[in-house]
Amino acid sequence: DVKVTQSSRYLVKRTGEKVFLECVQDMDHENMFWYRQDPGLGLRLIYFSYDVKMKEKGDIPEGYSVSREKKERFSLILESASTNQTSMYLCASRTPWENTEAFFGQGTRLTVV
Amino acid sequence: AQRVTQPEKLLSVFKGAPVELKCNYSYSGSPELFWYVQYSRQRLQLLLRHISRESIKGFTADLNKGETSFHLKKPFAQEEDSAMYYCALSPNSGYSTLTFGKGTMLLVSP
């Protein structure tokens, strides 16, 4: 059974804290993604990575950074958490081939207080 | 840049009624199109993709390039179809990012 696993289901952090969200996939996929999911806004792409140590900005990268030191692991970093970053964060992975399925993690519900 | 529009936030129907969830897209090339579904307390998962031309759980979707639409249809809705549905587009490139619409919540009442 293919798996994308996010390290935390729920997180509560204080404003200004540095926050790490971890994601691991076991499918040897080249591409990995971080989205945030908000009611009425759908899924918005924050960053994606198409190879180890490679990253590209998505639609809403401000306030975030990422790290991909190993193929199976993709980390999202909130440098200084703010209340407007309270959201559900979804990690996904996919091969680069056409029309393939993206596999999603279970999500991390982050609350910044 | 690509864009996906789902005009309805909520679609409420009775069991046995036909369902159509609308999706329109804008993209200059020939995109890959998908429908993803998220049931309550479950992770987002693929429902179907346009290239497969298949019926999954009774749902079908036809790509209409002239109208740039990819509407999801089911002739007879079931209560277990209640979920959040997202239409998604991927450009035909190696990066394979997915651009999602804002989603439509489908509620099927008994």
Side-chain angles (χ1 to χ4, degrees), chain A residues 31 33 94-102, chain B residues 2-4 23-36 46 48-52 61-63 65 69-70 86-101:
Chain A
N31 294 355
F33 312 88
R94 191 183 185 205
T95 71
W97 316 123
E98 295 176 4
N99 290 296
T100 56
E101 178 178 358
Chain B
Q2 58 264 27
R3 174 177 286 187
V4 177
C23 172
N24 289 90
Y25 67 90
S26 63
Y27 180 63
S28 56
S30 187
E32 304 166 8
L33 286 157
F34 307 84
W35 277 97
Y36 280 79
L46 177 69
L48 53 79
R49 66 196 93 186
H50 89 271
I51 197 72
S52 303
D62 290 321
L63 175 59
K65 292 186 177 181
S69 68
F70 188 55
Y86 292 96
C87 183
L89 177 155
S90 182
N92 234 328
S93 74
Y95 286 171
S96 68
T97 59
L98 280 168
T99 297
F100 287 85

